Each structure stands twice: as C-alpha cells, then as structure tokens.
C-alpha cells in the first residue's frame, strides 16, 4: 500500500498574528512553524492505514514550500512517514491555489512514474493559513481521481475507500474506488507524539527535491490586514471563589439561571 | 445587460438550507451593482423546491436533474453547476462558504480550470475584480485580485445580514438534464447515520469550556456540573483534545466547532487566535483565569482572576444556594 500525504508549513501564532512590513505575509520573526492540525491527522491516518495493512507499505509526505519546510517533513517522518519530498518555492512567498495544485500534480505524476501509483492521496480539509478549500480537489481532478473532503473516518478495503463525514444533519457515508483522494479533518484520530527513536530515524531520511515552476493562477494576494477589533475592557468580577456571587448576579441579569 | 449572477442553492434531500437567505442577499446586491439578473442553480432536488425561492428576486431557477442523482455528490453537483455556467454565460457565480458550498465550487473551478476565491467578506466588480477574503479561519483578512472573465466566489458565512423577503413573483423554471460520468455518480452519499438531536455545542445557549488549566480529564467534572445547571454544553481547547482529556467533538476553534452562545465561560484557556475565532461570535464571554494578562481575559466581557478549580465549584454552589432559597 502506498499513501501520499500533502502538508503545508505555516507559522504558529499565539495570541495575535503580526503582519510583515510589506503587508504580504504573516510576520513570523518570533514564531515557530507547524502544519495544520488537519494535515497532522492526515499523516497519522496514513501511518495507521499502512500499519494495519498486511502487506505494509509506504507513507510519502510531500510539501511545496521554502527549504525550511524540511522541518515539517522531518516531523512527519518522526511519527511514521517513510519518504519525504520537497517542492521548493524559491525566493519566499507562497503559491496561489491553482499554482500549488499544478506543482503538486506535476510532482505526484513524476513520483508515480518512478515508483508506481499511490492507492490514496490525503490532504487536509483546508490549509491553516490560506484556507482555500480547493488544492486537494484540484489535484484530484487533474489526476482524474474521486475525492471526498472532510473525512472523520477512512476505511480501506479491496480497492474501495469508505469515508464518513460529519455534517449538522448527521453522518454522510461515501464509498469511492481507489486510487482516490481524501481530505482529512481534525478529530479523525489523535496524532501520536514522536518517540526518541522516531526523531533520530527522521534525521537520517534523505529528502527528495522536485523542481517545478507552475504557471500562476488568477487569485493573487495584494495585502494582509487584521479585522477591526472592538477594544473593550473586561468587567472584573473579582478574584477567587468570592467572585461567585457577582458571577451569578450576571447570570441572572442575562436570564441564564 | 450583463449575464446573470448565479447563486448555488444548497439543499439536503430537497430541504433548502436555512442559510440560503445570506447568499440570496449577497447575490442580489452583486446583481444590482452589475445590472444583471439574479438566477439560482439547484442540483438534484425536486422541482417543488423552486417555490421556496419566490419573492427573493430570483428570476430563473436552473434545475439540474439526473435520474441517478439521488443524493448529494460533490463532483456531480460541481458538474451540474458547470453545465449551467457553460449554458448561460453568467457574470459571476456565488455560493455560501459552507463545507458544501466551498466543496462544490472547488469541483466546478477545477473542471473549468478557473480561479476560485473562497470565504469572501467583500467583492468589487472591476477589471480585475478585487475582493477581501478570510484567512486563518477569521483572524486575518486578505485583499486579492481575481483575474478572470468568470469570477467564482464563496461568501463567508454570517457576514451578509439577510434582506427580508418581498412579495415578488415565483421564478421561471429551466430544467437541465446533465450528463454525469459513472465516477461522478458513484461519488454521491451512499448512506447516512443520524446523530442525537437536541442541544449541540454549536447551538447551546451557554458553553462552559476548559483549557489546559483544567489539568486533567477528571478536572472537567466541575465544568460538567456548571454546564448542567445552566442547561449548557461543555467545550474545550485543542490543548485539551491533544491531551486526550476530551473528545474532539468538544473542541472550540478554527479546526473545531464555531460557537455562538449567549454566554461563553472560558476556564483556563489562554485565548490563542485559533481558539478565539471559534468563540468570538459568542454574545458575551466570561473568562476564568489565573493570568489577568491572558488574551482570553483581555478580550472577555467579564473576568474572574484565580484558580478555576475553586471558582467554578463556587459558582455552581451559589446557583444552587439561590435556587433552594
Ligand atoms: C492551525 C492551528 C489550528 C488550531 N486550532 C485550534 C482550535 O480549533 N481550537 C483551539 O483551542 N486551539 C487551536 N489551536 C491551538 C492554539 O494555538 C493553542 O495552542 C490552544 O488553543 C491552547 O489551549 P489552552 O488555551 O487550553 O492552553 P494554554 O495556551 O496553555 O493556556 C492555558 C491557560 O490556563 C490558565 N491557567 C492555568 N492554570 C489555571 C488554573 N488553575 N485556573 C485558571 N486558569 C489557569 C493559564 O493562565 C493559561 O492562560 C490551533 C493551532 C494551530 C497552529
Ligand atoms: N504548499 C502546499 N504543499 C503541500 N500541500 C499543500 C500546500 N498547500 C495546500 N496543501 C494541501 O491542500 C490542502 C488544502 O489547502 P487549501 O486549498 O489551501 O485550503 C491542505 O490542507 C494541504 O493538505
């Protein structure tokens, strides 16, 4: 079994997201980096599927990003990915959704020509930063494969993937033939933490680099800014358990008790 | 007059989405600016549903039918929408930025190799179109240009305040039979499981949420108790789900549930942006935290500074005392 997972390196902001001076990017000077929780869960799902498969298999993790995205690839390896592929975006910045999908499609095509087809390609439901909700669908179309997004469970058997997804009205069940593409949502599993052994092993894996220069798409960023905030001072109801009375006064005022 | 503004009309088994008004309003306003008619696309529903679109300024409903399209299918809906687009030459196509709206539009955009801007809060027709869209689940806004002859857009939810319906006429019905591939048909929902009805995290009037400060799964007992007294639900932060203290269905935030209760009680939660975007639609927020400088405290309407393990039980006890007195 061969599974590919596409992940994106993004900054991990805390209480506030700063913006760079040219207003084109998040100011990541003092930030760590991560991947979207959806994508961490996608890696975990892939590793579990391969661990559960009698014949075993490979989990290939692919990212298009700066050379520093090696960090997210190696993290994936520390929790079970077996091959790592980087599509470098040179000179900073990021690609629009169409360009990203074109680059990933080129890379998948090259990887499959060399090592055989992927049974499954996993994406996150949406990227943490851009949140375009489309790169996975675009790649699926370009490769002419079925795609289901928002997966809360994936079962794989006899060339069929059964995907469950939660909606306000209940759970929808999809059954699509492989090779297939699935977008994963956080909550499908609880990703494992890397073990010491996993960490050490991840340092030794070679990262395959695949160069491609995709044509730009029609959606282009001009400026990032923060939504207007209504600054208000909180009403302090006190400190410690003595505040309980003031809290319940508020609950009564709001008609909630 | 320009080609129509097309809106995607979401429905589930023929039941029109309760959020349809938002996209009708957004579509209507754009149509006015473009001096274009407003038309709707309905894939796979019964024709009877069309009546629901009367009095909403929709002039034509394009009903896409296929004998084997019996339920929602992302690729099939995307193909149906693309067929209408190719047949009627719209000036723009809009859907609401729901899971389905974004998904169907992504399929249509992929088929037609067109750009797609999701979760817009503002769009301006020009050459090229300019728009503002949501990033980071709502923590940031991105101004973009959309260079295309046919803008495909989804509008962020809860941004357009719906106009009231008028007494306009029922729209004309135009039926389209569309060719769907075996793969597109196979991509439909095959079965459904129902979930328990009733108050959910997303609809609860009170949410009592705990973060890392709660310290353990057992620590949530006092939050459960308070939520029970207030007929609310318990929520949590990602630190909590990551530790395995609560199930992910309780997680509030960018990759969890977006809530909009009358009151959000956030205990031992620092208020990281990814948590905040899930909670910011709450009418009022009460933060309980040992740290007066925590982002959650600073952004709250009310705050109690101190140890949640003492404060939360004290609040529950005070409610009981007043009820019995
Ligand atoms: C792409 C992405 C998506 C994410 N999505 C989500 C999401 O959907 N939801 C989410 O919640 N997070 C999300 N996160 C994680 C987020 O960035 C934070 O890490 C997380 O919200 C922190 O949880 P916390 O506030 O419980 O923990 P902490 O940040 O550790 O805060 C704990 C708080 O508890 C207080 N405290 C400690 N002890 C006590 C006590 N005894 N009494 C009272 N107060 C006490 C502390 O003062 C502190 O303020 C996401 C992150 C990324 C990168
Ligand atoms: N630069 C990238 N490299 C690898 N995968 C990506 C990249 N950008 C997006 N993806 C994948 O596509 C999914 C959807 O992204 P988006 O369309 O931006 O919401 C993400 O969750 C990732 O799995």
């Amino acid at each position: 079994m061969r599974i590919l997972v596409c992940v994106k390196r993004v900054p991990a902001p805390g209480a506030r997201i700063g913006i760079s001076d040219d207003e084109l990017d998040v100011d990541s000077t003092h930030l760590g980096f991560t991947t979207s929780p959806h994508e961490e869960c996608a890696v975990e799902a892939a590793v579990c599927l391969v661990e559960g498969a009698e014949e075993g298999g490979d989990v290939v993790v692919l990212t298009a990003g700066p050379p520093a995205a090696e960090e997210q690839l190696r993290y994936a390896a520390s929790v079970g990915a077996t091959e790592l592929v980087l599509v470098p975006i040179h000179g900073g910045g990021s690609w629009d959704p169409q360009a990203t999908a074109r680059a990933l499609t080129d890379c998948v095509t090259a990887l499959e020509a060399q090592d055989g087809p992927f049974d499954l390609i996993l994406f996150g439901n949406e990227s943490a930063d851009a949140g375009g909700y489309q790169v996975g669908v675009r790649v699926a179309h370009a490769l002419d494969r079925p795609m289901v997004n928002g997966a809360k469970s994936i079962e794989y058997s006899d060339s069929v993937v059964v995907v469950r997804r939660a909606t306000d009205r209940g759970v929808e069940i999809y059954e699509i033939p492989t090779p297939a593409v699935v977008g994963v949502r956080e909550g499908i599993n609880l990703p494992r933490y890397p073990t010491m052994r996993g960490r050490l092993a991840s340092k030794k894996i070679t990262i395959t680099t695949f160069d491609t220069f995709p044509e730009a798409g029609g959606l282009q960023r001009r400026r990032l800014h923060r939504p207007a905030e209504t600054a208000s001072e909180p009403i302090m109801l006190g400190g410690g358990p003595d505040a309980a009375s003031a809290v319940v006064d508020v609950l009564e005022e709001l008609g909630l008790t | 007059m320009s080609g129509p503004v097309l809106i995607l009309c979401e429905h589930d088994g023929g039941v029109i989405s309760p959020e349809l008004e938002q996209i009708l309003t957004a579509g209507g306003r754009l149509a006015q600016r473009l001096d274009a008619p407003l038309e709707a696309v309905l894939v796979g529903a019964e024709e009877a549903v069309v009546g629901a679109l009367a009095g909403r300024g929709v002039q034509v409903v394009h009903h896409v039918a296929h004998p084997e399209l019996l339920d929602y299918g992302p690729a099939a809906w995307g193909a149906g929408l693309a067929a209408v687009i190719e047949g009627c030459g719209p000036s723009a196509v809009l859907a609401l930025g729901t899971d389905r709206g974004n998904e169907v539009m992504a399929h249509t955009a992929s088929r037609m190799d067109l750009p797609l801007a999701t979760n817009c809060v503002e769009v301006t027709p020009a050459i090229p179109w300019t728009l503002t869209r949501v990033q980071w689940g709502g923590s940031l806004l991105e101004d973009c240009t959309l260079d295309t002859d046919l803008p495909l857009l989804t509008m962020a939810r809860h941004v357009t305040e719906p106009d009231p319906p008028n007494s306009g006429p029922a729209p004309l019905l135009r039926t389209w039979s569309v060719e769907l591939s075996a793969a597109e048909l196979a991509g439909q929902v095959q079965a459904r499981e129902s979930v328990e009805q009733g108050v959910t995290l997303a609809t609860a009037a009170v949410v009592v949420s705990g973060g890392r400060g709660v310290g353990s799964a057992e620590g949530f007992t006092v939050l459960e108790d308070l939520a029970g007294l207030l007929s609310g639900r318990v929520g949590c932060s990602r630190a909590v789900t990551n530790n395995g203290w609560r199930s992910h269905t309780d997680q509030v935030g960018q990759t969890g549930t977006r809530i909009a209760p009358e009151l959000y009680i956030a205990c031992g939660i620092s208020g990281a942006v990814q948590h905040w975007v899930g909670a910011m639609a709450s009418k009022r927020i009460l933060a309980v935290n040992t740290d007066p400088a925590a982002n959650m405290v600073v952004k709250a309407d009310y705050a109690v500074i101190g140890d949640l393990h003492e404060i939360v039980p004290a609040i529950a006890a005070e409610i009981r005392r007043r009820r019995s007195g």
Side-chain angles (χ1 to χ4, degrees):
Chain A
M1 182 178 221
R2 267 172 73 73
I3 306 182
L4 177 78
V5 189
C6 295
V7 305
K8 181 180 188 184
R9 172 183 168 90
V10 295
R16 193 165 184 271
I17 306 188
I19 294 167
S20 63
D21 290 341
D22 64 5
E23 298 189 312
L24 284 174
D25 229 325
V26 169
D27 178 4
S28 55
T29 339
H30 303 291
L31 295 179
F33 285 81
T34 184
T35 59
S36 162
H38 299 314
E39 294 150 33
E40 281 182 14
C41 289
V43 172
E44 176 69 26
V47 172
C48 288
L49 283 169
V50 164
E51 283 173 349
E54 263 168 42
E55 76 278 14
D58 298 309
V59 175
V60 185
V61 174
L62 163 62
T63 190
E70 173 182 348
E71 181 193 351
Q72 280 60 48
L73 292 176
R74 293 218 186 270
Y75 183 84
S78 75
V79 289
T82 51
E83 286 174 41
L84 308 175
V85 184
L86 174 72
V87 174
I89 302 180
H90 298 286
S94 55
W95 286 331
D96 67 77
Q98 284 170 291
T100 306
R102 283 171 188 144
L104 297 180
T105 305
D106 284 354
C107 183
V108 172
T109 308
L111 291 171
E112 292 193 330
Q114 199 179 324
D115 296 317
F118 294 106
D119 302 292
L120 267 182
I121 303 181
L122 302 185
F123 285 85
N125 190 66
E126 84 273 358
S127 57
D129 54 351
Y133 291 82
Q134 56 188 277
V135 168
V137 179
R138 287 186 187 277
V139 172
H141 270 267
L143 297 170
D144 198 17
R145 290 178 201 180
M147 157 94 190
V148 180
N149 216 10
K152 282 279 173 140
S153 83
I154 305 174
E155 290 159 54
Y156 182 96
S157 65
D158 294 338
S159 320
V160 175
V161 219
V162 178
V163 173
R164 281 185 167 68
R165 83 170 175 197
T167 73
D168 298 344
R169 299 161 299 276
V171 177
E172 297 172 345
I173 304 171
Y174 295 85
E175 284 179 34
I176 51 174
T178 58
V181 182
V182 177
V184 170
R185 184 163 267 173
E186 188 184 31
I188 190 174
N189 53 38
L190 194 54
R192 69 195 70 186
Y193 289 100
T195 58
M196 188 51 92
R197 229 175 106 214
R199 265 205 205 113
L200 289 175
S202 74
K203 294 204 174 112
K204 297 193 192 111
I205 299 189
T206 17
I207 294 178
T208 310
T209 303
F210 179 85
D211 271 304
T212 178
F213 302 91
E215 187 197 333
L219 182 69
Q220 295 297 330
R221 176 181 304 169
R222 296 297 168 223
R223 184 170 84 98
L224 286 180
H225 50 109
R226 258 191 306 274
E229 277 178 24
T230 40
S232 70
E233 286 281 309
I235 300 173
M236 289 295 174
L237 299 178
D242 294 344
S245 175
V247 170
V248 181
D249 288 346
V250 169
L251 294 175
E252 282 178 355
E253 257 168 54
L254 299 176
L256 295 170
T257 51
Chain B
M1 194 145 81
S2 342
V5 169
L6 282 185
I7 54 166
L8 175 71
C9 181
E10 273 187 66
H11 68 90
D12 199 47
V15 180
I16 297 275
S17 158
E19 293 190 276
L20 183 74
E21 298 196 337
Q22 295 173 45
I23 201 65
L24 277 167
T25 303
R29 288 179 191 160
L30 182 60
Q32 235 168 29
R33 281 165 82 176
L34 291 168
D35 191 20
L38 178 66
E39 302 184 0
V41 181
L42 193 60
V43 186
E46 297 290 324
E47 281 177 26
V49 170
V50 172
L53 292 166
R56 308 310 311 245
V58 176
Q59 302 193 3
V60 179
V61 175
H62 301 273
H63 177 226
V64 182
H66 187 286
E68 287 166 63
L69 184 61
L70 306 173
D71 205 330
Y72 174 70
W77 280 42
L81 178 57
V84 176
I85 292 172
E86 275 154 9
C88 77
S91 349
V93 185
L94 260 66
L96 194 61
T98 56
D99 285 342
R100 281 193 180 179
N102 284 333
E103 181 174 47
V104 172
M105 292 292 272
H107 278 277
T108 301
S110 307
R111 288 181 71 96
M112 303 183 74
D113 198 21
L114 288 170
L116 163 65
T118 50
N119 295 324
C120 300
V121 293
E122 215 179 284
V123 298
T124 310
I127 304 173
W129 283 53
T130 59
L131 57 92
T132 302
R133 60 178 299 275
V134 160
Q135 281 220 347
W136 283 100
S139 306
L140 275 192
L141 296 173
E142 178 188 32
D143 293 346
C144 295
T145 49
L146 187 62
D147 193 2
T148 172
D149 294 333
L150 176 50
L152 302 184
L153 308 155
T154 73
M155 302 301 293
R157 296 166 83 178
H158 311 306
V159 167
T160 314
E161 192 58 49
D163 292 336
N166 56 44
S167 54
L172 295 175
L173 179 67
R174 189 166 164 201
T175 303
W176 298 68
S177 52
V178 61
E179 301 249 332
L180 295 174
S181 68
E184 282 157 357
L185 286 167
Q188 294 178 66
V189 175
Q190 297 298 311
R192 285 162 187 268
E193 287 163 0
S194 53
V195 282
E196 59 167 308
Q197 293 298 313
V199 182
T200 63
L201 189 56
T203 59
V206 178
V207 174
V208 183
S209 231
R212 197 191 307 277
V214 176
S216 66
E218 300 73 52
F220 274 87
T221 315
V222 291
L223 277 72
E224 292 276 5
D225 183 42
L226 180 58
L229 284 172
L230 299 171
S231 307
R233 297 289 296 218
V234 169
C236 69
S237 72
R238 182 162 178 254
V240 168
T241 39
N242 264 0
N243 278 317
W245 299 342
R246 304 285 301 183
S247 131
H248 182 268
T249 46
D250 291 346
Q251 181 177 314
V252 172
Q254 183 177 339
T255 52
T257 301
R258 280 143 196 272
I259 59 169
E262 294 295 317
L263 179 65
Y264 184 52
I265 306 182
C267 310
I269 297 178
S270 64
V273 286
Q274 303 90 350
H275 185 83
W276 176 254
V277 292
M280 66 187 181
S282 308
K283 298 244 165 49
R284 291 200 168 71
I285 297 178
L286 163 63
V288 178
N289 203 303
T290 44
D291 176 7
N295 196 45
M296 202 60 171
V297 173
V298 176
K299 284 188 165 162
D301 300 283
Y302 310 98
V304 178
I305 305 306
D307 185 351
L308 70 94
H309 300 100
E310 294 171 3
I311 294 163
V312 175
I315 297 171
E318 177 64 13
I319 294 172
R320 288 202 169 89
R321 195 186 64 77
R322 292 196 196 180
R323 280 187 189 167
S324 66

